[in-house]
Amino acid sequence: MSGGLLVAGTTSDAGKSVVTAGICRWLVRRGVKVAPFKAQNMSLNSFVTREGAEIGRAQAMQAQAARVEPTALMNPVLLKPGGDRSSQVVLMGKPVGEMSARGYHGGRQEALFSTVVDCLEQLRSTYDAVICEGAGSPAEINLRRTDIVNMGVARAARFPVVVVGDIDRGGVFASFFGTTALLAAEDQSLVAGYLVNKFRGDVSLLEPGLEMLRDLTGRPTYGVLPFAHGLGIDEEDGLRVSLRGTVRESAVAPPHGEDVLRVAVCAVPLMSNFTDVDALAAEPGVVVRFVDRAEELSDADLVVVPGTRGTVKALAWLRERGLADALARRAAEGRPVLGICGGYQVLGEHIEDEVESRAGRVEGLGLLPVRIRFDREKTLARPVGEALGAPVEGYEIHHGVADVLGGEAFVSDDRGHGLDGCRVGAVWGTHWHGALESDAFRRRFLAEVARAAGRRFVPAPDTAFAALREEQLDRLGDLVEEHADTDALLRLIESGAPRGLPFIAPGAPAVPGSRR
């Protein structure tokens, strides 16, 4: 078997990431050697591969679904927003500079296309199948000329395209038809059909609409995936924090002890790698919610200040909303606070930043004896160590360099030498993302939090985060296997889009000078 497929979407957040992961898991269970690919990803949730390359966490999750080691080939271009109009460009896992949206789409994006095609070809030469994920919608006609992630990739590789639509949002039939009808004729020739995501109810009620859609477009629907609760799979484009008080999905299990433990995560601007708290939410009896008001910290047993792409901006936001004062009161009262990466940096004495915000010296919250200096070189690492007497590993993605002037080291090596972070009383800080996924460390950390908070909470002795993640990926594979036309999907992957697919008017005008 040799081939591939591009999973596009009618919108952002239609479910492309999880569908791609589900297809990868279904294929690998059939014995197919498969790899994920996303040419260009815009996300603040990233991961560090073993070779020290930064890629989107969604692609790392998809690689896990495919049971392969993630590499930079799977996400050659990563854009990390630093504001409304600019992003850091990460190429082949390394940052190459900041760029405005106009500058990127005005020329740089097209220059990256050869890198994208080369990475895809390397994957195709190694794997039986490559499952590509698109970005946003392929029908963004204002950006088609510079597209390197949707139809540009599909046309270069001659991959068939399946368009995913989120029926939970409504308007899925119009979205499928309109997406197809806004594509140029050559692009339409690769759109093989559709996949409905997040359906609730009786599928038989949907079938007349699916038949009418086929009559209108000449294209089948390859499956109707039901809405699935409790899939805490890594998100890509960011938490919808405008929904204040969003609760992270937790394990449906009673507390192991007498009390629950309440965790409040400050929803700072440009929040990055908020997936760090997924391991907490997986613990029975731990309730995680995202907050943006000082009063919401009052009943929290632990407050987490997460990573951010805008450390100085996050610090100002904490002060403006009264959260900084609330954190200071917690520290004075001996109530637990955890800062991760950018969140660790804001807890320190001051920040010297001529790189990210270029704000110069900015006073921190002063809760930890740490001074931060931003370096132009980004730290990208996969460290291991020991914390609270338990093994711990994580990954580092930061420009800030910490000078720790006191307190206790958070993470040490096997000889007790400090490796990272700082602790003073019930306030902890670390640059390490992913540390809470280390089961023994997480249990000991939560036990300390419970003691400091005066809660009769006991961590469950058998929660294995990696096993839970595998179960979730298997559930995604099950959804594809049980609710999609897998025989038809296999034919697409092996043989490409069917010939003679009809053109749907009006289509988009041909792109002048474009070969893709």
Side-chain angles (χ1 to χ4, degrees):
M1 177 183 185
S2 177
L5 177 73
L6 186 133
V7 178
T10 56
T11 62
S12 295
D13 204 30
K16 298 182 293 292
S17 295
V18 294
V19 169
T20 299
I23 292 174
C24 286
R25 178 50 59 101
W26 156 64
L27 285 172
V28 78
R29 293 194 307 204
R30 291 179 59 97
V32 177
K33 189 178 179 184
V34 59
F37 179 75
K38 183 159 186 172
Q40 172 194 293
N41 192 347
M42 178 173 281
S43 179
L44 288 172
N45 284 336
S46 59
F47 181 76
V48 178
T49 67
R50 294 207 178 276
E51 73 267 31
E54 184 180 9
I55 66 172
R57 267 198 76 100
Q59 279 60 68
M61 174 268 293
Q62 291 160 355
Q64 185 178 349
R67 296 179 179 148
V68 296
E69 191 67 32
T71 74
L73 293 174
M74 297 171 183
N75 179 208
V77 182
L78 173 64
L79 305 178
K80 303 192 71 174
D84 292 338
R85 296 187 179 182
S86 68
S87 294
Q88 183 181 68
V89 181
V90 179
L91 178 63
M92 295 303 296
K94 304 297 180 183
V96 294
E98 296 279 335
M99 188 164 289
S100 69
R102 180 177 292 275
Y104 184 68
H105 289 286
R108 182 62 183 268
Q109 189 177 37
E110 290 184 274
L112 297 175
F113 191 60
S114 60
T115 300
V116 165
V117 171
D118 182 60
C119 290
L120 181 55
E121 288 306 311
Q122 288 187 61
L123 291 175
R124 294 182 74 178
S125 69
T126 306
Y127 293 90
D128 299 328
V130 179
I131 307 303
C132 304
E133 179 189 344
S137 163
E140 292 166 350
I141 55 178
N142 56 315
L143 302 178
R144 178 61 185 88
R145 183 180 62 82
T146 56
D147 170 35
I148 66 171
V149 63
N150 288 306
M151 302 311 300
V153 165
R155 196 185 290 193
R158 303 310 300 171
F159 276 178
V161 177
V162 172
V163 181
V164 177
D166 179 0
I167 198 170
D168 202 45
R169 294 182 171 192
V172 74
F173 294 118
S175 298
F176 283 146
F177 184 88
T179 296
T180 309
L182 278 176
L183 299 179
E186 190 172 347
D187 289 344
Q188 286 193 25
S189 71
L190 296 174
V191 176
Y194 314 106
L195 193 65
V196 176
N197 191 31
K198 298 183 183 179
F199 180 73
R200 306 172 192 251
D202 186 348
V203 177
S204 66
L205 298 177
L206 194 64
E207 288 172 352
L210 300 179
E211 287 299 318
M212 285 186 276
L213 181 67
R214 181 164 193 156
D215 291 342
L216 285 166
T217 66
R219 293 161 172 83
T221 297
Y222 287 95
V224 178
L225 305 184
F227 190 99
H229 292 278
L231 285 176
I233 298 297
D234 295 351
E235 300 181 61
E236 176 180 286
D237 295 324
L239 180 71
R240 300 298 185 260
V241 292
S242 60
L243 300 177
R244 190 177 56 80
T246 297
V247 178
R248 201 75 176 154
E249 291 184 273
S250 305
V252 184
H256 193 69
E258 296 181 47
D259 284 345
V260 299
L261 210 61
R262 296 174 176 84
V263 179
V265 184
C266 297
V268 296
L270 299 173
M271 182 165 52
S272 62
N273 287 65
F274 56 80
T275 47
D276 283 330
V277 300
D278 283 353
L280 296 179
E283 285 284 351
V286 176
V287 178
V288 178
R289 69 182 190 271
F290 291 83
V291 303
D292 61 3
R293 295 182 181 178
E295 58 267 29
E296 293 175 300
L297 305 190
S298 61
D299 66 343
D301 302 305
L302 169 67
V303 174
V304 177
V305 187
T308 172
R309 173 81 167 86
T311 304
V312 170
K313 183 180 290 188
L315 187 54
W317 182 87
L318 290 168
R319 287 183 166 128
E320 289 166 3
R321 291 179 169 264
L323 288 158
D325 290 338
L327 289 169
R329 287 193 297 271
R330 288 185 67 88
E333 295 165 0
R335 301 176 67 197
V337 175
L338 170 64
I340 302 174
C341 200
Y344 166 40
Q345 295 168 5
V346 305
L347 298 181
E349 294 178 0
H350 69 250
I351 297 165
E352 292 280 355
D353 182 11
E354 299 293 347
V355 176
E356 190 176 78
S357 68
R358 300 186 179 132
R361 178 172 169 139
V362 178
E363 296 303 309
L365 299 186
L367 305 186
L368 290 174
V370 177
R371 295 173 183 173
I372 302 294
R373 174 184 54 81
F374 272 63
D375 194 347
R376 294 195 179 279
E377 294 296 316
K378 182 185 282 191
T379 298
L380 297 169
R382 289 278 294 271
V384 296
E386 183 178 283
L388 303 180
V392 61
E393 59 183 278
Y395 56 100
E396 294 184 71
I397 307 170
H398 55 90
H399 285 278
V401 178
D403 182 13
V404 180
L405 305 176
E408 306 171 44
F410 193 161
V411 186
S412 303
D413 61 18
D414 56 6
R415 291 171 292 182
H417 298 150
L419 286 181
D420 179 77
C422 181
R423 175 187 181 179
V424 174
V427 180
W428 293 268
T430 178
H431 270 131
W432 290 20
H433 294 290
L436 293 166
E437 295 178 18
S438 299
D439 296 327
F441 163 68
R442 183 180 64 254
R443 285 192 278 271
R444 295 189 185 190
F445 176 71
L446 289 175
E448 288 224 11
V449 167
R451 281 194 293 272
R455 295 287 185 188
R456 290 173 294 182
F457 168 86
V458 178
D462 54 356
T463 302
F465 184 76
L468 290 172
R469 176 54 54 88
E470 277 296 303
E471 289 175 13
Q472 291 174 326
L473 292 171
D474 274 330
R475 288 180 62 197
L476 287 180
D478 292 342
L479 286 175
V480 171
E481 190 166 349
E482 295 168 10
H483 300 281
D485 186 343
T486 53
D487 289 340
L489 287 177
L490 274 176
R491 287 194 296 272
L492 282 181
I493 293 168
E494 290 178 330
S495 305
R499 293 186 178 183
L501 290 168
F503 172 74
I504 309 301
V511 180
S514 175
R515 291 173 292 177
R516 58 177 192 274

